[in-house]
Each structure stands twice: as C-alpha cells, then as structure tokens.
Amino acid sequence: MKFFNHNKEISLLFFAFVFLTIIAISSKVYSNYLEKAQNKVFNDLYNHPLKVSNTALKIQLNIHKIHLVLHHIALSPNKEKLEISIDQLEVLQEETYDYFEIIKINILGEEGRKILQETLTYFKKWKSIQNNIMISSKNNNFNKSIEILESDGDKYILRLTTEVSKLYKYANIKAVSFKENSNEIFDFQQNINIYLTFFILIIFIIVAYFSISQLYSYLSKNRKLTNNLKKKSKEFETIIKEAPNPIILHNEEGNVLMLNKAWTDISGYTQKEITTIDRWVDSVYKDLDTQKTVKKHISGLYDITKKINEGTFSFFTKNNKKVTWQVSSSPLGIIDGKRTIITSAMDITELKDKDEMIITQSRHAAMGEMIGMIAHQWRQPISIIAMDANNMLVDIALDSFDVNTVESYAKNITSQTQHLSQTIDDFRNFFKPDKKILEVNLSKIMDDTFVIVKDSIKNNNIELITTFETERLIKAYPRELMQVFVNIITNAKDALITTKPKNPKINIRVYEDEKYINTEIFDNGGGVDISILSKIFDPYFSTKDEKNGTGLGLYMCKMIIENHLNGSIKVSNKQEGACFTIRLLKNVEGKKENE
Amino acid sequence: MNNSTQIDLKTLMEESKNLTVLYAEDEELLRNNTAMLLRKLFQNVDVAVDGKDAFTKYLDNRYDIVITDISMPNMDGLELIDRIRKMNLHQEIIIMSAYTESAYTEQINTADVTGYIYKPVDMNQMFEILKTSIDKLKEKGT
C-alpha cells in the first residue's frame, strides 16, 4: 500500500528503462554509423579502383591514338597536315599525362603504384621517341621518322599496352576484392545489427513482463488491502456497535458521529433522536442549569490530549428511569477537519444503587453499636433517676418525707428524662438519610458526632482532644460525614479498650492546606497491624469478633468520602497508634449530580 | 415488700450509724444524690470524684466501707481496689457500677469484694449488699 514498500522494485524498473533507452539510442547511433560506412565504401569503390580502371582504358585508347598520329606525322604529305598532326600529338600527350595524374591520385596499394611508375617510365621513354619522330618530320627527314617509328615505336606500343592492361587488371581485381571485403564487413555489421535488435527485443520483453507483473501484483495486493481494510473497518464498527459499554463519537461542532447499541439501549433514545450533543443533553437532563453545566463540560472536552475520567453523571432515560454512568473520554484526533472525541461510559446505576444500599445497610448494621452507645448515654440519667426514687423511698421508710426535698427529686427526675429524650432525638437524626449537600463547618459536625459518642468515650475513660485550626465551610452531606467520624472514633475507642494504654486518648485535628480541609483522627492504641493495613477498607473485613463488627464500617467510610464527597481517606500508623486522615476539597461540590 | 424494707432499713440503720464510708463516683449528679442517700444511713460519708481522689482520702482516713464505681478517669475502680488491698487485705469494698461494663467484669475477682451493686440501683439489692458488709464487719469486730 505504501510507496516505500516498493522502493526496490521501482528503482529496479527505473534502471531497466534507463538501460533500455541507452541501448536503443546506441543501436540507432550504430546503424547510422553503418549507413555512413556503407556510403563510404561505395564512394571508395567508385572513386578508386573503378576510376583507375576507367582511366587505364582511356590511356590505352590514347596510346593507339598517339600511334595513329605518329604515323600521320611520319607520312605527312605536306607541311600543313604535319602541323595539325603535331598539334594533335601534343594534345594527346597532355591528355595522357593528365590521365596518369588521375591514376596516381586514385590508385591504392604499393603494387599499383609500382605498376603505374613503370608504365609512366615507358610512356616517358616513348614520348622522347615521339619527339624524335616529330623533329625528323619537321626537318623533312621523313625516312628517318618512318625508321624510328617502325624500329622503336612499335616496341613501346606493345609494351605500354601490356603495362596499361596490367594497371586495368590490377584496378579491377582491387575493386572486386574491395567489394568482397566490404561485403564481409557489411554482413558482419548486419549480423551485429540483427543480434542487437534481437537483444533489445528480449530485454524489452523482460522489462515489460517484469513491470507488468509488478504492476499487477501491486494492484491486486492493493485491491486485497482495500478489501481487508473495508472488512476491518466494518469489524471495528461492529465492535464499537456491539460493545457492552455505551460509546459515542462526537466532534467539536457538537455533532454525534456514531452511537453504539448499548448507548441507545440504555438511554432509550435512537440515533436519529440524538444527532447532536445539545439534543442529547436537552433530552436526558431536565433541569436547565444542569443542561448548561453539562454542555459547558462537554465543550471543554475537545481540548483534551489524553484520556480523562469525567466522573459520574446521573440522568433520566426516555422511560424516565434514573441511571448513573461513569464516563471517560479520549481524543481521536482530527477527523474531517474537526477535533473528535470518543466517549465511553460504564453503567453503574446498579452499582450505585448497591452502594447506597450498603450505606443504608451499614448504618443499620451499626445499630448494634448504636444501642451500646445509647446504653452509655442513658446509663447516667437512668442511674440518677433511680437514685432519686431510692432517696424518696428511704425518706418514706424513715418517715422523714419532706415536700421541698421531694420537689427537688422530682425536678431532677424531669430534667433527666429530658436528657433521655434528647438522646433519642440525636440518634434518630443520625439514622435519617441526608437530603442534600449543605455548607457545613467541620467543627459543628464534630460536635454533633460527639453528642453521640461522648458517653461511650467518657465511660471508658478515654480523653478526647480536639484542635480546630480552620473554620472554613465545606460542602457535604452532614450526616454521612458524621457517620464516618462516629465510625472512626468508635474504632479508636474499641482499640483503646483492647490495648489499654495508660492514658487512653483520641486526638482530632482539623486543618487546611492549599487544596484540602484535612481531618486527622489518631489514638494511642498501638496502631494497626502492618499486615492488615492495606485491607482495612475492604468490605466485610473485620478484626473484631462477629458480635462487634460487621466489616462494613470502614468500607462505608471510604465509599462516603471518595464517592460521595470526592475526597480521600487513608490510614497510617503514627508513633502511638493508628491515624486516619480524611481530606475534603475546599469549596467544591460533593458530587456532580442532579438529584 | 415495703414493710420488710422498712424493718430491714431500721435494723440496718442501728448497725450502720457509726460506720464510716468512702464513696467514689465521677458523675457529679449521681454522686450527689447517691451520697445524699448514703448519708441517711451512715453518719460519716466522704465522697471522691475519681479513683485517685479516693485513694488520697483513703490514705488520710481509714474507712469501714469503700463503695466505688469502676469506670473513672485518672484512676479506675479496679486499680483503686488493687491499691487498697495491698494496704489492707480485709478492707470492706463494694462495687457500684453498671452491669453493661462487660469489659471490666471479666477482671473482677468476686472474692476481692463483698458485693456488686448494679446501676441503676435497686434499693433492696443495695441494702442486701450493705447488710452483708455490715455483718462481716460485726464478725470481725467481735
């Protein structure tokens, strides 16, 4: 699919084509060269041997002509005729010399030049004889002319004719051999040309085959890849569509790109009903303020660069059922030019219902402990009431019944019953569920907590030391927070009863740092065994025997602090004992919910 | 019942009148009205606000009967009993405490004390234990 994967093949093809081009060009150049060579051969053929042989024939002719003219000169009847013949002779001589000159220029080979030289020498000798004849005739000594002509002239004619024939033959032979030679060269060159053409053809076929096959495999691979890609993307789509958790794809323009079945199934809204984020928010949140908050939250999502947990959102389905989702989002990058986000949720409605059930349950489970606390609360007033009654009985028995004293006993009893009644109210309040988040002062919550636990602490001679270093308000469910404090303080009390240090103490310190309001609750009961420190917040984990502990107390504390109040709770061992630290965010809403 | 109490009370008073009592209780209201009742029986009743106070008072004055709560700050009743026993093996001691303090009851050696008066106090139970204690003192005295 990628260009880089085929780099090798492509460079190979490139070089093959370059090679082919070079060969084609060079073969063309070569054939051009052949043509030129052929031309040259023909030129040579006509210029040299043929010219020589032709000229040799002309010289032969001239020899006979000169011979004839010599006869005219020797036998000239009158002076006029002699003059004409002499002129003719001189012209012929000149002409013959010219011919020799032509031969000299065109003749090839050492042997040829030798023959030419000999012929020329004979011709020159014959010329001097011709001149003798000419001079004798001019002097009217015709007899001598005839004598010279007959004795020497004929001899030279024969000889010259032979020599010139030799020249002719030589030139002829030369021409034939030249032709044969060039034929051979032509054949050879033609063969090379044929082979070369054949070679180019083969290479061309190879390159063509190779490139076509490459192209074919590339195309088919590409087609396969495209098909695979289509299949894969369909698979991915199916995976998202069928995923058990609700998933949504949306972009910064607020368009919903994709929704899966879990999303539509749980919410009850179809994809057509929620084409945009705004339509979704408007459908599932009823409260206008909440709609605004949620929309603002979502519009802020498009800036994220990595996965974020958005927290829990509770909203209403089409069937008006309240569901709670734990939502997280990740950026998908830019799709079609818009920043796109994938958001997936986990339906924790049941979990949350269960959580809330456990909180209620655990509060009821703590009822046992509460009855113990009530016993502590009530023990003193009841004892006082009983003793007042006893005093009255003794007075009656001793006949010392006095109206004023009796009145004081009765007043005492009444005030104690008020106390008893107050205790009941305190505890009943504690069991009431929290309706809403309130702005509360931790020291006030702590005071309310002490109302419940103070007697059981005091009756066990435990000193309670509190330090409030901040009066800042926090948003919380007050009774849930109380429940947490009651739990931790009671645990500390139980630890102190078991370990019996010399001066049992529970310290509570509330202070703030940059982000949090911190509450430290620590005792001098020797601390938590290191091996169970990490399990202390697990549900159904208890070090106490069954009668005293349900194992839900600290688990519930953790749930309240972390899930409802977005804070944190941890335990550590200090010098003298266990230390629980609860951190709650300053000025931050308990949870993002619309209830 | 009323009649028998009356008789018991009157005879009890004959014998209790001259005895000295130290009563330790940390809870003020209860301490006050219990002391009020005890003073109707005994001529000489001292009160202590906790174990430590009681022990200091015991060092100054020997008492015929020591009545103590168990759960108290500074020094609890058990330690008080322990210390008194070390000084006087035969000291009459009565515990007056709540039944619910199971954490402590396990540690109480019943042989150490004459009786256990449960809070809230039932008058008859209280008088019975006081009578036992007075009888024991009478035996020792004669």
Side-chain angles (χ1 to χ4, degrees):
Chain A
M1 194 175 72
K2 279 182 196 160
F3 179 77
F4 287 104
N5 289 353
H6 300 273
N7 229 354
K8 235 173 156 181
E9 283 92 332
I10 281 171
S11 54
L12 202 66
L13 267 177
F14 176 74
F15 284 119
F17 273 112
V18 168
F19 181 60
L20 209 61
T21 314
I22 288 171
I23 286 182
I25 289 171
S26 50
S27 90
K28 186 67 206 165
V29 169
Y30 182 65
S31 69
N32 266 4
Y33 160 77
L34 271 188
E35 223 166 278
K36 266 186 193 163
Q38 224 161 357
N39 274 346
K40 197 170 174 280
V41 166
F42 280 118
N43 277 348
D44 285 354
L45 201 63
Y46 282 103
N47 280 345
H48 304 287
L50 288 181
K51 225 175 203 170
V52 170
S53 63
N54 282 347
T55 317
L57 285 179
K58 281 180 189 165
I59 290 173
Q60 194 108 5
L61 200 63
N62 272 12
I63 288 167
H64 287 287
K65 274 184 187 166
I66 288 169
H67 186 59
L68 200 66
V69 171
L70 281 176
H71 275 88
H72 284 297
I73 289 170
L75 303 171
S76 175
N78 52 38
K79 233 170 169 61
E80 280 164 35
K81 287 240 173 140
L82 182 68
E83 288 290 319
I84 293 169
S85 294
I86 285 170
D87 283 346
Q88 277 180 344
L89 180 64
E90 280 173 349
V91 169
L92 282 171
Q93 279 175 340
E94 280 299 307
E95 212 179 64
T96 309
Y97 272 118
D98 285 347
Y99 289 150
F100 273 115
E101 199 57 32
I102 289 170
I103 290 176
K104 199 180 173 184
I105 289 166
N106 287 299
I107 198 147
L108 297 166
E110 203 53 41
E111 202 191 339
R113 266 190 283 279
K114 224 166 142 188
I115 296 169
L116 176 68
Q117 206 55 48
E118 270 173 36
T119 315
L120 196 59
T121 315
Y122 277 114
F123 185 75
K124 276 175 181 168
K125 280 179 183 167
W126 190 41
K127 198 196 161 198
S128 65
I129 291 165
Q130 287 166 19
N131 287 349
N132 288 342
I133 293 170
M134 206 164 58
I135 291 160
S136 302
S137 292
K138 269 185 183 170
N139 297 335
N140 286 326
N141 194 352
F142 288 102
N143 285 340
K144 199 180 178 197
S145 296
I146 291 168
E147 195 187 328
I148 295 167
L149 186 72
E150 282 180 350
S151 64
D152 291 330
D154 286 347
K155 194 173 75 187
Y156 279 103
I157 289 170
L158 197 67
R159 190 65 197 243
L160 261 175
T161 315
T162 318
E163 285 299 322
V164 173
S165 289
K166 256 193 204 168
L167 254 182
Y168 174 76
K169 269 181 195 163
Y170 172 78
N172 245 3
I173 288 165
K174 207 65 184 164
V176 169
S177 86
F178 207 95
K179 184 149 187 291
E180 275 172 3
N181 208 4
S182 63
N183 271 355
E184 248 170 59
I185 289 167
F186 277 141
D187 281 351
F188 174 70
Q189 283 171 338
Q190 221 133 29
N191 279 348
I192 283 183
N193 217 358
I194 288 167
Y195 290 140
L196 202 65
T197 313
F198 196 63
F199 178 65
I200 289 172
L201 197 70
I202 285 172
I203 286 186
F204 181 77
I205 287 169
I206 289 170
V207 169
Y209 173 77
F210 181 69
S211 45
I212 286 171
S213 73
Q214 280 295 315
L215 205 68
Y216 177 77
S217 77
Y218 168 72
L219 282 177
S220 64
K221 213 190 277 171
N222 216 1
R223 197 174 307 133
K224 219 186 263 172
L225 270 175
T226 317
N227 282 346
N228 271 354
L229 222 69
K230 271 186 197 157
K231 220 172 111 191
K232 273 273 181 293
S233 83
K234 204 156 219 162
E235 270 174 29
F236 277 129
E237 206 177 304
T238 315
I239 287 170
I240 288 181
K241 285 264 182 214
E242 301 294 335
N245 285 345
I247 295 172
I248 190 171
L249 261 73
H250 51 103
N251 66 23
E252 57 186 326
E253 291 197 339
N255 290 323
V256 173
L257 306 179
M258 196 204 271
L259 277 177
N260 73 347
K261 273 190 192 162
W263 192 288
T264 51
D265 284 354
I266 298 174
S267 70
Y269 290 100
T270 63
Q271 189 153 9
K272 279 179 189 159
E273 287 171 301
I274 33 182
T275 49
T276 66
I277 289 292
D278 283 357
R279 287 182 72 174
W280 162 255
V281 174
D282 293 342
S283 309
V284 297
Y285 295 99
K286 288 168 184 169
D287 176 48
L288 277 177
D289 282 346
T290 317
Q291 287 178 5
K292 239 180 170 172
T293 323
V294 173
K295 277 180 196 172
K296 206 178 145 203
H297 165 76
I298 295 173
S299 68
L301 277 180
Y302 302 106
D303 292 328
I304 61 169
T305 53
K306 56 178 187 203
K307 184 203 161 197
I308 62 154
N309 290 321
E310 297 170 50
T312 54
F313 292 83
S314 292
F315 54 86
F316 292 91
T317 65
K318 205 172 185 182
N319 300 330
N320 221 12
K321 195 187 137 214
K322 191 180 162 190
V323 292
T324 304
W325 284 5
Q326 192 172 322
V327 185
S328 51
S329 286
S330 289
L332 275 187
I334 308 268
I335 295 178
D336 291 337
K338 286 148 215 150
R339 288 180 293 175
T340 306
I341 295 287
I342 182 165
T343 300
S344 94
M346 196 160 51
D347 186 13
I348 55 163
T349 312
E350 276 180 34
L351 215 69
K352 197 168 169 284
D353 289 351
K354 215 169 99 192
D355 270 10
E356 263 150 30
M357 217 170 67
I358 285 181
I359 289 180
T360 322
Q361 256 182 5
S362 71
R363 220 183 291 180
H364 290 157
M367 189 84 89
E369 276 173 50
M370 286 297 154
I371 287 172
M373 287 184 213
I374 292 173
H376 277 285
Q377 299 286 69
W378 276 12
R379 191 190 300 154
Q380 296 306 347
I382 286 178
S383 296
I384 292 166
I385 289 170
M387 201 49 78
D388 282 324
N390 288 339
N391 266 308
M392 285 194 267
L393 284 174
V394 171
D395 283 354
I396 291 167
L398 298 178
D399 293 325
S400 60
F401 198 81
D402 172 65
V403 180
N404 291 332
T405 8
V406 170
E407 194 186 351
S408 84
Y409 293 143
K411 273 185 182 163
N412 216 353
I413 288 171
T414 319
S415 98
Q416 290 306 315
T417 52
Q418 286 302 317
H419 193 115
L420 293 178
S421 169
Q422 181 61 47
T423 307
I424 288 176
D425 288 344
D426 291 343
F427 280 85
R428 200 163 50 191
N429 274 337
F430 180 74
F431 286 106
K432 268 190 205 158
D434 279 303
K435 276 275 154 29
K436 54 185 162 190
I437 285 189
L438 295 175
E439 282 220 321
V440 288
N441 188 329
L442 266 186
S443 65
K444 167 79 174 63
I445 291 186
M446 215 47 102
D447 284 345
D448 291 347
T449 307
F450 295 156
V451 165
I452 290 187
V453 296
K454 68 166 192 286
D455 282 358
S456 71
I457 297 293
K458 205 173 80 186
N459 288 342
N460 288 295
N461 298 315
I462 294 163
E463 196 182 351
L464 197 62
I465 303 160
T466 52
T467 325
F468 291 101
E469 293 169 17
T470 175
E471 287 293 315
R472 194 188 271 271
L473 299 180
I474 54 158
K475 282 186 176 171
Y477 296 95
R479 269 185 288 274
E480 283 193 358
L481 210 49
M482 258 172 77
Q483 194 180 346
V484 172
F485 293 147
V486 165
N487 227 296
I488 294 171
I489 292 170
T490 310
N491 275 346
K493 179 206 75 183
D494 290 343
L496 290 170
I497 289 173
T498 317
T499 56
K500 292 192 196 71
K502 194 140 200 275
N503 298 304
K505 266 182 241 169
I506 296 174
N507 267 289
I508 295 171
R509 179 172 167 241
V510 181
Y511 62 98
E512 66 179 289
D513 58 24
E514 251 173 65
K515 269 176 90 177
Y516 301 96
I517 304 280
N518 303 285
T519 308
E520 258 180 20
I521 302 175
F522 57 98
D523 58 57
N524 57 348
V528 186
D529 191 344
I530 280 280
S531 64
I532 61 159
L533 207 58
S534 62
K535 288 184 275 185
I536 206 165
F537 292 110
D538 292 351
Y540 305 108
F541 176 82
S542 178
T543 55
K544 304 172 190 171
D545 47 36
E546 262 178 44
K547 185 174 71 184
N548 284 329
T550 57
L552 284 174
L554 286 176
Y555 169 66
M556 189 199 61
C557 289
K558 192 179 168 72
M559 226 153 56
I560 289 172
I561 296 294
E562 293 187 351
N563 296 356
H564 283 190
L565 304 171
N566 284 338
S568 73
I569 180 167
K570 63 179 175 91
V571 64
S572 58
N573 279 327
K574 276 199 164 185
Q575 216 167 354
E576 294 185 294
C579 175
F580 285 84
T581 310
I582 295 159
R583 315 181 79 189
L584 295 169
L585 280 168
K586 292 176 182 176
N587 294 330
V588 170
E589 291 168 53
K591 47 184 170 178
K592 283 185 211 145
E593 278 183 24
N594 51 325
E595 288 199 72
Chain B
M1 183 197 145
N2 212 356
N3 265 352
S4 67
T5 307
Q6 206 171 344
I7 295 159
D8 277 342
L9 193 57
K10 287 217 165 123
T11 43
L12 189 72
M13 274 182 72
E14 300 276 308
E15 291 158 345
S16 68
K17 228 173 199 170
N18 299 319
L19 297 175
T20 56
V21 171
L22 177 64
Y23 170 53
E25 165 67 60
D26 59 319
E27 196 63 39
E28 194 190 350
L29 281 173
L30 184 62
R31 185 170 66 237
N32 288 346
N33 63 7
T34 308
M36 200 180 281
L37 188 131
L38 287 174
R39 284 190 180 119
K40 285 168 188 166
L41 304 179
F42 304 96
Q43 247 171 12
N44 207 337
V45 176
D46 278 355
V47 291
V49 296
D50 56 31
K52 211 173 154 193
D53 185 29
F55 191 64
T56 321
K57 285 189 165 131
Y58 186 80
L59 288 179
D60 290 346
N61 271 301
R62 294 301 164 100
Y63 298 93
D64 295 316
I65 301 171
V66 174
I67 302 174
T68 180
D69 188 12
I70 289 178
S71 151
M72 285 182 297
N74 298 322
M75 187 193 290
D76 67 15
L78 295 179
E79 196 180 337
L80 177 68
I81 294 169
D82 214 40
R83 290 197 181 192
I84 290 172
R85 275 275 170 267
K86 274 178 189 153
M87 292 173 65
N88 182 2
L89 202 65
H90 303 291
Q91 175 65 48
E92 273 304 310
I93 300 173
I94 295 169
I95 292 173
M96 186 189 283
S97 185
Y99 178 71
T100 45
E101 281 172 86
S102 55
Y104 288 102
T105 46
E106 289 160 18
Q107 297 167 48
I108 296 167
N109 187 349
T110 37
D112 268 3
V113 294
T114 307
Y116 200 125
I117 301 172
Y118 294 111
K119 286 187 205 168
V121 176
D122 170 65
M123 206 173 63
N124 285 325
Q125 199 233 340
M126 180 176 155
F127 288 158
E128 255 169 49
I129 287 171
L130 284 176
K131 192 172 185 306
T132 320
S133 196
I134 290 165
D135 288 349
K136 273 168 107 182
L137 280 172
K138 223 161 63 185
E139 271 172 41
K140 277 180 219 163
T142 50

